[in-house]
Amino acid sequence: MAIPRSAGLLMYRRQGDAVEVLLAHPGGPFWARKDLGAWTLPKGEYDETEAPLEAACREFVEETGFPCQPPFEPLGEVRQKSGKRISAWAFEGNADPAALRSDLFEMEWPPRSGRQQSFPEIDRVAWFGLDEARYKLIPGQAPFLDALTRSLSLKP
């Protein structure tokens, strides 16, 4: 069985001397009451027929409804506890969290009810300073913040 791979984008903006990143909160009932350590980069799985950066751009648009534009700064790859590998890139941009438009997914809810319900892949996005983002982000994705900091020549 192939190791699942995901690719994502980390949008950032400069606010004076500070940098903020746009993080996404997963939708659906499992994540509804989770906050610290639950946010993520907009990302999604891809297969060998798609280039990782192309997948990252496609997933970013599908999950947020926001455009992405080059240049894209590579942030490397992390391996999550599940074994999934995530590649990420950063790009500078700006987006209004209130304008979020996420694709939907369906799942049986409540469990064993036989009823399918639709939920947004991402139920909200928000801008966070790098320090706060570290607490909000799924811990296995924190190295992407370190890579962004290095690429922008900021002190961690």
Side-chain angles (χ1 to χ4, degrees):
M1 183 162 87
I3 296 171
R5 295 189 174 272
S6 284
L9 294 180
L10 182 60
M11 181 188 284
Y12 71 92
R13 68 181 181 186
R14 299 170 197 266
Q15 296 291 97
D17 291 338
V19 172
E20 294 179 334
V21 293
L22 186 75
L23 299 182
H25 187 271
F30 177 77
W31 296 100
R33 292 194 169 101
K34 295 179 174 21
D35 185 55
L36 296 180
W39 293 69
T40 182
L41 280 68
K43 62 176 179 42
E45 290 189 6
Y46 66 95
D47 62 29
E48 64 279 348
T49 65
E50 188 174 21
L53 181 55
E54 288 176 14
C57 291
R58 174 182 49 77
E59 287 291 334
F60 186 86
V61 173
E62 286 177 3
E63 292 190 353
T64 67
F66 303 138
C68 56
Q69 69 278 343
F72 298 105
E73 179 69 29
L75 299 178
E77 181 181 86
V78 299
R79 184 173 178 229
Q80 295 197 161
K81 288 180 185 179
S82 66
K84 179 187 280 189
R85 296 187 180 276
I86 302 171
S87 299
W89 290 261
F91 73 100
E92 192 165 5
N94 202 352
D96 177 1
L100 173 69
R101 298 290 177 265
S102 182
D103 279 358
L104 301 175
F105 71 94
E106 286 197 358
M107 66 180 284
E108 182 181 13
W109 192 258
R112 296 177 294 286
S113 67
R115 291 185 306 186
Q116 293 289 312
Q117 289 195 42
S118 294
F119 299 95
E121 289 188 46
I122 299 298
D123 61 15
R124 62 190 181 274
V125 294
W127 289 102
F128 298 103
L130 294 175
D131 289 339
E132 187 177 7
R134 191 169 299 282
Y135 292 103
K136 296 285 189 176
L137 198 58
I138 292 170
Q141 296 179 24
F144 294 137
L145 297 177
D146 299 333
L148 176 64
T149 299
R150 284 191 302 273
S151 78
L152 297 176
S153 301
L154 300 174
K155 294 183 180 179

